[in-house]
């Protein structure tokens, strides 16, 4: 399938990125844009988290519940964002006008690819080996990795967010990183006019 944006990952940064992109659906610059998220990767660290220190999230909220509710929120509010849960990404290769994403089931093409994965080894997606480096914000003893990037941009049309971009494993940081990438893409769609999207009462 062909996408304008395809997000790879199912954690906080991936879902937040998808929510912000999806929320631009009524903007003229986002009309007709195809957005997808492949959320079947290795389990998010969010699965085992218990939150007491995140603004707006009730104390004792479980990370696994945030993941479930996030997917429901995305499908309910922005059903035009295609959620792909039964595929695992094997490789990302440069293609004409974007990237070829090969999964265990099929091949997708996208103009923009966003990697929103965790920072643990091994990193098994082919085609990105030259971008892997030690994580700059994690405890060195943990031996975490990140992808070389500048403000989330790896190279033209290829972004990363969350811990794989060098962010620390803190929920608000990861979610903010995903939102940041989404607004960067919306800005490009909007003729490079700085863009954010908020609904209003």
């Amino acid at each position: 399938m062909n996408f304008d944006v395809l997000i790879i990952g199912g954690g906080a940064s991936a879902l937040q990125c998808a929510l912000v992109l999806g929320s631009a659906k009524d903007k003229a610059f986002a009309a007709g844009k195809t957005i997808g998220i492949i959320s079947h990767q290795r389990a998010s660290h969010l699965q085992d988290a218990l939150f007491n220190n995140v603004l707006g999230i009730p104390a004792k909220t479980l990370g696994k519940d945030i993941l479930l509710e996030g997917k429901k929120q995305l499908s309910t509010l922005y059903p035009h964002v295609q959620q792909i849960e039964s595929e695992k990404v094997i490789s990302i290769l440069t293609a004409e006008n974007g990237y070829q994403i090969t999964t265990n089931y099929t091949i997708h093409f996208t103009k923009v690819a966003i990697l929103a994965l965790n920072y643990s080894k091994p990193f098994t997606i082919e085609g990105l080996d030259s971008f892997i480096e030690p994580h700059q914000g994690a405890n060195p003893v943990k031996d975490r990795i990140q992808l070389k990037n500048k403000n989330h941009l790896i190279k033209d049309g290829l972004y990363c967010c969350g811990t794989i971009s060098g962010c620390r494993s803190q929920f608000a940081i990861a979610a903010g990183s995903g939102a940041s990438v989404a607004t960067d893409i919306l800005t490009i769609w909007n003729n490079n006019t700085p863009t954010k999207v908020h609904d209003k009462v």
Side-chain angles (χ1 to χ4, degrees), residues 105-167:
Y105 287 114
T106 190
I107 295 174
H108 302 284
F109 291 93
T110 184
K111 293 177 183 173
V112 173
I114 302 169
L115 290 144
L117 305 168
N118 72 46
Y119 56 178
S120 299
K121 292 180 178 178
F123 186 85
T124 58
I125 298 175
E126 297 174 16
L128 300 172
D129 293 349
S130 64
F131 299 109
I132 298 173
E133 64 181 7
H135 198 284
Q136 304 301 303
N139 184 338
V141 173
K142 299 285 188 179
D143 194 25
R144 305 301 192 190
I145 58 167
Q146 68 179 52
L147 297 174
K148 294 176 191 174
N149 69 91
K150 184 173 182 180
N151 296 324
H152 299 106
L153 182 65
I154 299 171
K155 63 178 184 174
D156 189 34
L158 184 63
Y159 293 82
C160 57
C161 60
T163 56
I164 199 68
S165 72
C167 293

Side-chain angles (χ1 to χ4, degrees), residues 16-17 20 151-152 159 161 174-186:
Q16 185 63 72
C17 186
V20 173
N151 296 324
H152 299 106
Y159 293 82
C161 60
S177 174
S180 181
V181 169
T183 57
D184 286 347
I185 291 166
L186 294 177

